[in-house]
Amino acid sequence: MITIKDIAERAGVSYATVSRALNNRSDVSSETRKLIMELASEMGYQPNAIARSLVKRKSMNIALIVPDVSNPFFADITMAVNSAAENAGYTTMVCNTGWDQQKEQEKLRIMVEQRVDGIILKPTGFFKPETLEAYNVPIVVFWHAGDDDLSYIEVDHETGSRMAVQHLVDRGYKHIAYIGGQETSPSNQIRLLAYQQTLQENGLVVDPKLISFGGFRLESGYERFGKMMHLPKPPDAVFCSNDIIALGVLQYTREHNIRVPQDFGIIGFDDINYASLPQIELSTVSQPRDKLGEEALLALIREMEAFPERTRQRVLIAPELKVRSTT
Amino acid sequence: MITIKDIAERAGVSYATVSRALNNRSDVSSETRKLIMELASEMGYQPNAIARSLVKRKSMNIALIVPDVSNPFFADITMAVNSAAENAGYTTMVCNTGWDQQKEQEKLRIMVEQRVDGIILKPTGFFKPETLEAYNVPIVVFWHAGDDDLSYIEVDHETGSRMAVQHLVDRGYKHIAYIGGQETSPSNQIRLLAYQQTLQENGLVVDPKLISFGGFRLESGYERFGKMMHLPKPPDAVFCSNDIIALGVLQYTREHNIRVPQDFGIIGFDDINYASLPQIELSTVSQPRDKLGEEALLALIREMEAFPERTRQRVLIAPELKVRSTT
DNA sequence: CTGAAAGCGCTAACAA
DNA sequence: TTGTTAGCGCTTTCAG
């Protein structure tokens, strides 16, 4: 690999001058600059970003740490962060934690060792903010804001849930169920609360029998919904905590010839990519991934600029209602 | 950020000794090692990978350059490469080209500047092998092997297509159509040829009317299939060049009450994630992404070890037949 | 406008 | 077993 010294030698100048020319700084005569530029491209010079990072103490790399890039949701986020970072002149290192807390710590460590200028993290589960602060690196977390010093970003689950339930009410459904995810999941709690409040605000009763918690999986949705339909007073619509659960419900209605949306309304949350397939056409609340990714990067840039001060940002992204043929 | 010099000072030894201890080399007394280790963790020392890379002339980073990580197929490849790389001690930098040739070149350049130890590239389209060789970096390409010096990896499209068509024949379908992608796509050509040969080997006639080229999109599949069904002698089964096209066909059969698989067989190619959804259950030929990713990394490691010699590997991955409910 | 020199944080001879 | 020293390839003062 050829270096600025090689160029300097051929050009008969000091390598400091080569460096100046290559970074097109003003204090080089135009002739020398021209000569150096030509030589550089002729010799196939490729600047060494590692050496530059070392002296500049800035790598122009950022890290994105997510549980699983092959999950369409995170894949979209990755894309969005990537392109936003690119526009800002940064290169992204993407890490998977595989929903493993320990791996998450390891990835964080590796990224710090790589001296990335900042980190965007979607934590695998609960985490101690102190741990992250200890890494002493600009960081933005996809999570509900705590009262610590970190910067957070997330979609506005409350607004999203209200939109979903209000939409069902507006469509004329009266007996609306909630099929949620893990009871311990904080976002699940937020969604549940919004569901209850929206019903009450519309003068509808909240029936505890129509509230269910369980796995965020298709089978789980199918099964729990099936039980609900055997209730003396079954629901006529359901708000599902995510699209996968909704897919399970949809399957049940198909198999039992329940007419959707005439006799029954279904709405999900997330807008995963196949929700819009012609065979599915699921109404849902979209978490705009492009926006999330973009805003996460902007927040990170602000954080990096202020570092080592923490900016303590709390960014909330507005969800979007996607009305399709299941409501 | 604290450095080995800081530790050396506190420990009262030279910083070379600290380096030795931290890399647990044998030539350090166990007491000094212990002292240094304790000091390091107490002071929160994080090794600087950039400095190490500079002197070692090895970054332990590799690049994965793909058209679009949010495409489920590439997302899976990304996962597989990522985890294989991780096991081998490498960190992966993922780049998107957005199906843009120019961006592809730019990403390659940036990765070379970042001094990655090797690159895995899924090219956006046709490319000049010389360009890649000129970058003078170990590289493995997802593509059909040419007669150049590069290393290639791909799924065995011929075998895969034969499996698909033979499966339709075995199921008793007699009048099998081929709905392909872009006529210019090389993999499309390979699939077509295998389709024709398999039919002939089974004593079935190849009807040019039952062969169609077009976009790799759902609507394209829907439309072209619709036309075929209006032929005097319509097909009783179809081999689609990818799953998206098959989804279009599936939609058509649904809308026109064609019984699948009793009266009509459909098979796709790729095994994209929603092919296995209960609502879809598409038979298809799977390109095993985990295997592709894994083998790509192994090939790259061989390439890196041999570098600057080129290993000129040609790796072919066996596809897998997934029989589901559309055949 | 250009060169000399220091140094980013680390590894790896070579001595001692 | 440890210290000294010379870089890795580059940027950035500070002189000239």
Side-chain angles (χ1 to χ4, degrees):
Chain A
M1 276 267 127
I2 108 130
T3 74
I4 50 172
K5 287 196 181 175
D6 300 321
I7 299 180
E9 208 167 329
R10 287 259 315 254
V13 295
S14 77
Y15 63 92
T17 303
V18 176
S19 173
R20 290 191 191 100
L22 259 20
N23 291 291
N24 45 128
R25 296 248 295 261
S26 52
D27 51 355
V28 192
S29 78
S30 56
E31 306 120 69
T32 19
R33 156 172 297 120
K34 189 158 163 270
L35 173 64
I36 290 171
M37 289 307 207
E38 282 172 6
L39 241 31
S41 79
E42 178 195 325
M43 300 170 76
Y45 171 71
Q46 303 275 20
N48 186 325
I50 295 198
R52 175 185 296 137
S53 301
L54 186 59
V55 32
K56 288 210 152 187
R57 290 129 149 271
K58 201 157 186 327
S59 64
M60 294 309 278
N61 290 157
I62 60 155
L64 172 66
I65 304 180
V66 293
D68 175 8
V69 245
S70 73
N71 174 317
F73 185 82
F74 296 125
D76 288 345
I77 296 267
T78 303
M79 271 298 283
V81 169
N82 231 328
S83 73
E86 188 186 318
N87 291 338
Y90 288 89
T91 300
T92 314
M93 309 190 75
V94 183
C95 300
N96 281 281
T97 63
W99 298 104
D100 177 342
Q101 299 255 16
Q102 204 173 329
K103 212 161 189 174
E104 182 174 303
Q105 286 304 316
E106 196 187 322
K107 294 298 185 180
L108 279 162
R109 203 206 67 229
I110 293 176
M111 290 301 106
V112 170
E113 292 191 359
Q114 296 279 342
R115 293 295 189 271
V116 293
D117 297 331
I119 296 176
I120 298 176
L121 170 71
K122 163 72 197 190
T124 266
F126 289 100
F127 61 94
K128 295 207 208 70
E130 314 87 76
T131 326
L132 295 186
E133 291 176 58
Y135 279 113
N136 208 38
V137 63
I139 191 162
V140 170
V141 187
F142 282 109
W143 193 262
H144 324 287
D147 55 351
D148 48 73
D149 268 349
L150 298 172
S151 284
Y152 293 93
I153 181 166
E154 68 165 338
V155 87
D156 187 340
H157 295 287
E158 187 187 341
T159 304
S161 305
R162 284 175 172 280
M163 285 163 93
V165 178
Q166 189 63 51
H167 171 66
L168 290 175
V169 173
D170 292 345
R171 279 287 203 247
Y173 301 107
K174 300 268 182 254
H175 209 204
I176 300 168
Y178 174 71
I179 303 203
Q182 253 79 41
E183 186 161 7
T184 51
S185 151
S187 63
N188 190 60
Q189 288 295 337
I190 298 174
R191 290 175 198 183
L192 172 63
L193 200 66
Y195 155 83
Q196 295 169 319
Q197 291 176 342
T198 311
L199 286 187
Q200 286 166 346
E201 285 162 17
N202 283 276
L204 295 171
V205 328
V206 174
D207 180 351
K209 288 209 172 53
L210 294 189
I211 293 172
S212 150
F213 300 113
F216 277 116
R217 292 164 303 104
L218 195 145
E219 303 74 29
S220 168
Y222 180 92
E223 201 174 297
R224 289 187 279 140
F225 179 67
K227 286 207 188 105
M228 261 184 205
M229 291 309 275
H230 285 95
L231 251 32
K233 215 182 156 196
D236 63 355
V238 60
F239 168 41
C240 302
S241 195
N242 80 0
D243 287 348
I244 304 289
I245 292 175
L247 247 34
V249 171
L250 205 52
Q251 193 187 342
Y252 187 96
T253 57
R254 284 247 168 86
E255 289 179 8
H256 294 74
N257 297 312
I258 298 169
R259 295 191 313 161
V260 173
Q262 298 90 328
D263 302 336
F264 201 92
I266 304 169
I267 191 162
F269 207 108
D270 281 353
D271 195 21
I272 57 177
N273 61 345
Y274 35 78
S276 61
L277 276 185
Q279 280 95 340
I280 312 266
E281 277 281 344
L282 175 71
S283 292
T284 188
V285 177
S286 167
Q287 304 204 40
R289 275 81 82 177
D290 43 356
K291 193 105 189 178
L292 273 168
E294 209 174 292
E295 290 292 331
L297 187 84
L298 290 178
L300 182 61
I301 287 179
R302 289 192 288 268
E303 184 84 31
M304 293 193 295
E305 280 167 354
F307 202 78
E309 298 294 306
R310 298 265 180 203
T311 54
R312 216 170 172 283
Q313 299 166 71
R314 270 88 233 255
V315 184
L316 227 44
I317 303 297
E320 287 165 28
L321 185 66
K322 302 275 180 183
V323 177
R324 292 198 268 252
S325 60
T326 60
T327 53
Chain B
M1 275 266 128
I2 109 127
T3 75
I4 49 173
K5 286 195 183 175
D6 300 321
I7 300 180
E9 207 168 331
R10 287 262 312 254
V13 296
S14 76
Y15 64 91
T17 302
V18 176
S19 172
R20 290 190 191 99
L22 257 20
N23 292 289
N24 45 125
R25 297 248 296 263
S26 53
D27 51 355
V28 192
S29 78
S30 54
E31 307 122 65
T32 17
R33 156 171 298 117
K34 188 157 161 274
L35 172 63
I36 290 171
M37 290 307 208
E38 282 173 4
L39 241 31
S41 79
E42 177 195 324
M43 300 169 75
Y45 171 70
Q46 303 276 17
N48 185 326
I50 294 197
R52 176 186 294 136
S53 301
L54 186 59
V55 30
K56 288 212 155 190
R57 291 125 152 273
K58 204 161 184 317
S59 63
M60 294 308 280
N61 289 157
I62 60 156
L64 172 65
I65 305 182
V66 293
D68 175 9
V69 247
S70 73
N71 173 316
F73 186 82
F74 297 125
D76 287 345
I77 296 268
T78 303
M79 271 299 283
V81 168
N82 229 330
S83 75
E86 187 185 318
N87 291 338
Y90 288 89
T91 299
T92 314
M93 307 190 76
V94 183
C95 301
N96 281 280
T97 64
W99 298 105
D100 176 341
Q101 300 255 15
Q102 205 175 327
K103 213 161 189 174
E104 183 175 304
Q105 287 303 316
E106 195 187 322
K107 293 299 186 181
L108 279 162
R109 203 205 68 231
I110 293 176
M111 289 302 105
V112 170
E113 292 191 359
Q114 295 279 341
R115 293 297 187 272
V116 293
D117 297 332
I119 297 177
I120 298 177
L121 170 70
K122 163 74 196 187
T124 265
F126 290 101
F127 61 94
K128 295 207 209 69
E130 315 87 76
T131 325
L132 295 186
E133 291 175 56
Y135 280 113
N136 208 38
V137 62
I139 190 162
V140 169
V141 187
F142 282 109
W143 192 262
H144 324 288
D147 55 351
D148 49 71
D149 269 350
L150 298 173
S151 285
Y152 292 93
I153 181 165
E154 67 164 338
V155 87
D156 188 340
H157 295 286
E158 186 188 341
T159 304
S161 305
R162 286 176 169 280
M163 287 163 93
V165 179
Q166 190 63 51
H167 171 66
L168 291 175
V169 173
D170 294 346
R171 280 286 203 247
Y173 301 107
K174 299 270 181 255
H175 208 204
I176 300 168
Y178 174 70
I179 302 204
Q182 252 80 39
E183 186 161 7
T184 51
S185 149
S187 64
N188 191 59
Q189 289 294 336
I190 297 173
R191 290 176 198 183
L192 172 63
L193 200 67
Y195 156 81
Q196 294 169 320
Q197 290 176 345
T198 310
L199 286 187
Q200 285 165 347
E201 286 162 18
N202 283 277
L204 295 172
V205 325
V206 174
D207 180 349
K209 288 211 174 49
L210 295 190
I211 293 172
S212 151
F213 301 113
F216 277 114
R217 290 163 303 104
L218 194 145
E219 302 76 28
S220 167
Y222 180 93
E223 201 174 297
R224 291 189 276 139
F225 179 68
K227 284 206 187 105
M228 262 184 204
M229 292 309 275
H230 285 95
L231 253 30
K233 217 182 154 196
D236 64 355
V238 60
F239 168 41
C240 301
S241 196
N242 81 1
D243 287 349
I244 303 288
I245 292 176
L247 247 33
V249 171
L250 205 52
Q251 194 188 341
Y252 187 97
T253 58
R254 284 247 169 86
E255 290 179 6
H256 294 75
N257 296 313
I258 299 169
R259 294 192 311 161
V260 174
Q262 298 91 328
D263 303 334
F264 200 92
I266 304 170
I267 191 163
F269 206 108
D270 282 354
D271 195 20
I272 57 177
N273 61 346
Y274 34 78
S276 60
L277 276 187
Q279 281 95 338
I280 311 266
E281 276 281 345
L282 175 69
S283 293
T284 189
V285 177
S286 167
Q287 303 204 43
R289 273 80 81 176
D290 43 356
K291 192 106 187 180
L292 272 168
E294 211 173 290
E295 290 292 331
L297 188 86
L298 290 177
L300 183 61
I301 287 179
R302 290 192 289 269
E303 185 84 32
M304 293 192 295
E305 281 169 352
F307 201 78
E309 299 293 306
R310 296 268 178 199
T311 53
R312 218 172 170 280
Q313 299 166 71
R314 268 90 233 256
V315 184
L316 226 45
I317 302 297
E320 287 165 29
L321 185 66
K322 302 276 179 181
V323 178
R324 293 198 268 251
S325 59
T326 61
T327 53

